[in-house]
Short mmCIF file of all heavy atoms in Angstrom, two decimals:
data_model
loop_
_atom_site.label_atom_id
_atom_site.label_comp_id
_atom_site.label_asym_id
_atom_site.label_seq_id
_atom_site.Cartn_x
_atom_site.Cartn_y
_atom_site.Cartn_z
N ARG D 16 33.31 73.79 -77.25
CA ARG D 16 33.32 74.37 -75.90
C ARG D 16 34.41 75.45 -75.76
O ARG D 16 35.47 75.27 -76.43
CB ARG D 16 33.21 73.36 -74.81
CG ARG D 16 34.38 72.48 -74.33
CD ARG D 16 35.69 72.56 -74.90
NE ARG D 16 36.58 71.74 -74.25
CZ ARG D 16 37.88 72.07 -73.80
NH1 ARG D 16 38.33 73.32 -74.28
NH2 ARG D 16 38.53 71.35 -73.16
N ALA D 18 36.38 77.07 -72.52
CA ALA D 18 36.48 76.71 -71.04
C ALA D 18 37.45 77.56 -70.25
O ALA D 18 38.50 77.15 -69.91
CB ALA D 18 36.85 75.26 -70.99
N PRO D 19 37.13 78.87 -70.17
CA PRO D 19 38.07 79.66 -69.44
C PRO D 19 38.16 79.44 -67.91
O PRO D 19 37.16 79.04 -67.29
CB PRO D 19 37.46 81.20 -69.70
CG PRO D 19 35.93 80.88 -69.89
CD PRO D 19 35.95 79.58 -70.58
N SER D 20 39.35 79.75 -67.32
CA SER D 20 39.52 79.70 -65.85
C SER D 20 39.27 81.20 -65.33
O SER D 20 39.97 82.01 -65.82
CB SER D 20 40.86 79.14 -65.59
OG SER D 20 41.14 78.08 -66.13
N HIS D 29 42.25 84.58 -75.64
CA HIS D 29 40.89 84.00 -75.36
C HIS D 29 39.89 84.38 -76.40
O HIS D 29 39.21 83.53 -76.86
CB HIS D 29 40.35 84.60 -74.01
CG HIS D 29 41.19 84.16 -72.77
ND1 HIS D 29 41.94 85.01 -72.03
CD2 HIS D 29 41.45 82.91 -72.18
CE1 HIS D 29 42.54 84.50 -71.15
NE2 HIS D 29 42.18 83.16 -71.10
N ARG D 50 32.00 76.78 -70.44
CA ARG D 50 32.30 75.99 -69.15
C ARG D 50 33.24 76.95 -68.40
O ARG D 50 34.21 77.26 -68.94
CB ARG D 50 32.84 74.63 -69.51
CG ARG D 50 33.08 73.96 -68.24
CD ARG D 50 33.44 72.44 -68.48
NE ARG D 50 34.83 72.29 -69.02
CZ ARG D 50 35.05 71.56 -70.06
NH1 ARG D 50 34.16 70.88 -70.74
NH2 ARG D 50 36.36 71.35 -70.42
N GLU D 52 35.89 77.09 -65.68
CA GLU D 52 36.81 76.17 -65.00
C GLU D 52 37.32 76.69 -63.68
O GLU D 52 38.37 77.28 -63.69
CB GLU D 52 37.90 75.80 -66.01
CG GLU D 52 37.35 75.08 -67.26
CD GLU D 52 38.23 74.04 -67.93
OE1 GLU D 52 39.50 74.16 -68.04
OE2 GLU D 52 37.63 73.09 -68.40
N ARG D 128 53.18 72.55 -70.67
CA ARG D 128 52.24 73.29 -69.79
C ARG D 128 51.37 72.40 -69.04
O ARG D 128 50.69 71.64 -69.67
CB ARG D 128 51.43 74.23 -70.70
CG ARG D 128 50.41 74.90 -69.72
CD ARG D 128 49.55 76.00 -70.48
NE ARG D 128 48.53 76.41 -69.50
CZ ARG D 128 47.31 76.87 -69.98
NH1 ARG D 128 47.10 76.88 -71.22
NH2 ARG D 128 46.45 77.23 -69.13
N TYR D 209 43.17 69.91 -63.07
CA TYR D 209 42.68 70.30 -64.52
C TYR D 209 42.39 69.13 -65.36
O TYR D 209 41.38 68.99 -66.05
CB TYR D 209 43.78 71.21 -65.16
CG TYR D 209 43.68 71.23 -66.59
CD1 TYR D 209 42.61 71.82 -67.21
CD2 TYR D 209 44.65 70.68 -67.37
CE1 TYR D 209 42.46 71.80 -68.57
CE2 TYR D 209 44.59 70.78 -68.85
CZ TYR D 209 43.45 71.39 -69.38
OH TYR D 209 43.25 71.38 -70.75
N VAL D 213 38.78 68.13 -66.93
CA VAL D 213 38.63 68.53 -68.26
C VAL D 213 38.05 67.34 -69.05
O VAL D 213 37.12 67.34 -69.78
CB VAL D 213 39.84 69.16 -68.86
CG1 VAL D 213 40.77 68.17 -69.34
CG2 VAL D 213 39.42 70.02 -70.02
N ASP D 217 34.26 67.36 -70.56
CA ASP D 217 34.11 67.22 -72.01
C ASP D 217 33.17 66.09 -72.27
O ASP D 217 32.33 66.19 -73.11
CB ASP D 217 35.45 67.02 -72.69
CG ASP D 217 36.19 68.42 -72.76
OD1 ASP D 217 35.64 69.48 -72.70
OD2 ASP D 217 37.53 68.40 -73.00
N VAL D 225 37.33 69.65 -79.38
CA VAL D 225 38.09 70.37 -78.37
C VAL D 225 39.01 71.24 -79.21
O VAL D 225 39.87 70.82 -79.87
CB VAL D 225 38.80 69.53 -77.47
CG1 VAL D 225 39.79 70.50 -76.63
CG2 VAL D 225 37.86 68.76 -76.46
N VAL D 226 38.70 72.53 -79.23
CA VAL D 226 39.46 73.51 -79.98
C VAL D 226 40.08 74.53 -78.98
O VAL D 226 39.40 75.25 -78.36
CB VAL D 226 38.80 74.29 -81.03
CG1 VAL D 226 39.55 75.32 -81.74
CG2 VAL D 226 38.08 73.29 -81.93
N ARG D 227 41.41 74.38 -78.78
CA ARG D 227 42.07 75.15 -77.67
C ARG D 227 43.51 75.47 -78.05
O ARG D 227 43.94 74.95 -79.11
CB ARG D 227 42.04 74.36 -76.32
CG ARG D 227 42.73 73.03 -76.47
CD ARG D 227 42.60 72.34 -75.15
NE ARG D 227 43.15 71.06 -75.24
CZ ARG D 227 42.98 69.94 -74.36
NH1 ARG D 227 42.14 70.18 -73.36
NH2 ARG D 227 43.57 68.90 -74.40
N ASP D 230 49.33 75.56 -76.51
CA ASP D 230 50.00 75.34 -75.22
C ASP D 230 49.51 74.02 -74.52
O ASP D 230 50.24 73.47 -73.74
CB ASP D 230 50.05 76.51 -74.37
CG ASP D 230 48.62 77.07 -74.01
OD1 ASP D 230 47.76 76.73 -75.01
OD2 ASP D 230 48.31 77.80 -73.21
N LEU D 231 48.33 73.52 -74.88
CA LEU D 231 47.83 72.37 -74.25
C LEU D 231 47.91 71.11 -75.07
O LEU D 231 47.38 70.10 -74.72
CB LEU D 231 46.27 72.71 -73.84
CG LEU D 231 46.12 73.68 -72.60
CD1 LEU D 231 44.76 74.16 -72.60
CD2 LEU D 231 46.60 72.93 -71.34
N HIS D 238 45.24 63.37 -71.18
CA HIS D 238 43.80 63.31 -71.23
C HIS D 238 43.34 62.03 -71.97
O HIS D 238 42.37 61.43 -71.54
CB HIS D 238 43.19 64.57 -72.04
CG HIS D 238 43.67 65.84 -71.33
ND1 HIS D 238 43.41 67.19 -71.91
CD2 HIS D 238 44.22 66.13 -70.06
CE1 HIS D 238 43.83 67.97 -71.03
NE2 HIS D 238 44.29 67.34 -69.88
N1 LIG X 326 40.63 76.44 -68.54
C1 LIG X 326 41.91 76.37 -69.40
C2 LIG X 326 42.41 77.79 -69.56
O1 LIG X 326 41.74 78.74 -69.18
C3 LIG X 326 41.45 75.85 -70.74
C4 LIG X 326 41.29 74.35 -70.68
C5 LIG X 326 41.03 73.65 -72.05
O2 LIG X 326 40.52 74.41 -73.00
O3 LIG X 326 41.11 72.45 -72.03
O4 LIG X 326 43.50 77.89 -70.03
#
Side-chain angles (χ1 to χ4, degrees):
R16 66 10 169 223
S20 304
H29 295 107
R50 178 169 76 229
E52 301 215 322
R128 177 174 170 212
Y209 161 64
V213 83
D217 283 338
V225 171
V226 175
R227 61 186 176 194
D230 52 338
L231 287 166
H238 301 171

